[in-house]
Amino acid sequence: MVRPLTHPDRTPAPDDIQLVVLDMAGTTVADGGLVEEAFEAAAGSLGVAPGSAEHARQLAYVRATMGESKISVFRHLFGDEPTARRANAAFETAYGELVDGGRIAPVAGAREAIEALRAAGCTVVLSTGFARVTQDALLAALGWQELADLTLCPADAGGRGRPYPDMVLTALLRTRATDSVRRIAVAGDTSYDMLSGRRAGAGIVAGVLTGAHDRAQLESAGATHVLGSVAELPALLGVVV
């Protein structure tokens, strides 16, 4: 049975958090810039030459929108839907090959943090801006298929990824882990993660410094806390690892 907030008009204390929604690449998964490598492969397949002004413009946009649904990024860059879908398919193929090549690893302490949160009674959801096929490849490569209570990609939330709140709210609806959005903690490495969490009404929106964006970017997007890594999240929530 879900315990109601004692003071429902107040922000909950950290140890009131019951649902934790975590980003993957850059937050729980270290991928060493594979997004940019995969983007270059996708852009090249559509005739965008490396080193060209157009390539530089597109790469700058990819960097600025880290955390957003990748198909949304390609829709912005290439305009028409068929071209965006071709670019996204090329990106997913390239990223999957890099994952299969052993180019990813867990962020130090990430697995232990997730296990500690679940052992303490929190429901943990892993979310991503990648397509399901890529998310599944990441989970398989790390042996994380059963690590979290639920995994979500934009398609699972109706197609809209970050910065929309949809995946966070879908995590709540699917798990029924809590009675209030303010009992949700969201953690991620990009400004889009922060925006998504704030728009969903999460009580804690924690930025981590292991990925794409720095402290200033995370705070300007609404981070309630900035952590060195996701390994520090259990302590923030009053959980001993």
Side-chain angles (χ1 to χ4, degrees):
M1 180 176 180
V2 175
R3 174 173 53 87
L5 286 172
T6 304
H7 300 286
D9 58 335
R10 299 180 188 171
T11 299
D15 59 3
D16 278 325
I17 294 298
Q18 295 175 317
L19 173 61
V20 180
V21 182
L22 302 175
D23 172 51
M24 292 189 68
T27 302
T28 55
V29 180
D31 71 357
L34 298 192
V35 168
E36 290 189 18
E37 287 189 45
F39 162 74
E40 290 188 356
S45 72
L46 293 174
V48 181
S52 67
E54 179 64 6
H55 182 272
R57 181 190 70 81
Q58 291 186 354
L59 183 56
Y61 184 79
V62 169
R63 288 170 174 162
T65 57
M66 286 290 188
E68 185 176 1
S69 168
K70 295 303 177 282
I71 184 62
S72 297
V73 172
F74 287 118
R75 283 175 181 142
H76 175 90
L77 291 177
F78 295 105
D80 65 283
E81 186 69 12
T83 304
R85 289 192 176 277
R86 287 199 304 273
N88 190 63
F91 171 87
E92 299 288 354
T93 297
Y95 194 93
E97 290 173 351
L98 292 167
V99 169
D100 291 342
R103 298 281 301 279
I104 63 162
V107 166
R111 183 185 187 101
E112 293 81 359
I114 294 168
E115 291 174 338
L117 289 167
R118 292 186 71 190
C122 292
T123 298
V124 179
V125 176
L126 290 172
S127 65
T128 184
F130 294 136
R132 168 56 63 182
V133 63
T134 304
Q135 184 177 39
D136 285 346
L138 284 170
L139 294 167
L142 297 170
W144 281 12
Q145 296 95 326
E146 306 299 325
L147 180 61
D149 294 280
L150 180 69
T151 63
L152 292 173
C153 66
D156 298 319
R160 296 199 310 183
R162 308 177 191 108
Y164 295 101
D166 301 25
M167 284 197 290
V168 178
L169 297 177
T170 297
L172 172 59
L173 292 171
R174 291 270 190 95
T175 65
R176 299 185 178 185
T178 184
D179 61 347
S180 171
V181 292
R182 292 179 303 112
R183 284 181 132 158
I184 301 173
V186 172
D189 66 300
T190 72
S191 59
Y192 277 30
D193 292 303
M194 304 300 97
L195 287 169
S196 178
R198 293 304 294 260
R199 290 171 178 177
I204 289 179
V205 181
V208 298
L209 299 175
T210 51
H213 293 163
D214 61 22
R215 177 180 293 273
Q217 290 170 298
L218 296 168
E219 289 179 340
S220 67
T224 61
H225 302 77
V226 177
L227 309 176
S229 82
V230 72
E232 299 174 15
L233 185 61
L236 174 64
L237 303 185
V239 174
V240 177
V241 177

